[in-house]
Amino acid sequence: MQIGELFILRINIHLQGSVLDAPELMWAEPQLDPVYQAVGLLTERLDVIADLLAVLKDQLAHTH
């Protein structure tokens, strides 16, 4: 139950909003900002999904 609550908090933080600052390159090349944001968002989402799958795998291993 607590693991699920932690994942909900993590999803809310990483998937619905980002608190990360752009690197210095984005100040020099502002046209790259949308690409940087998209890559960063996809990376964060994949990390959260990978962690969720690891937890689910562990849960399945314990139930067998």
Side-chain angles (χ1 to χ4, degrees):
M1 192 78 123
Q2 291 175 342
I3 293 172
E5 291 175 12
L6 288 174
F7 271 108
I8 290 171
L9 289 173
R10 187 170 181 194
I11 287 169
N12 288 335
I13 291 169
H14 287 285
L15 300 184
Q16 295 178 1
S18 179
V19 294
L20 301 175
D21 291 330
E24 290 293 323
L25 177 64
M26 296 303 111
W27 291 100
E29 302 290 338
Q31 71 273 12
L32 296 177
D33 189 53
V35 175
Y36 173 76
Q37 294 295 326
V39 169
L41 184 61
L42 288 173
T43 301
E44 290 174 11
R45 288 182 178 181
L46 289 173
D47 288 344
V48 171
I49 291 169
D51 289 344
L52 178 59
L53 289 174
V55 168
L56 292 174
K57 181 181 174 183
D58 285 344
Q59 290 294 324
L60 285 173
H62 289 295
T63 58
H64 288 298

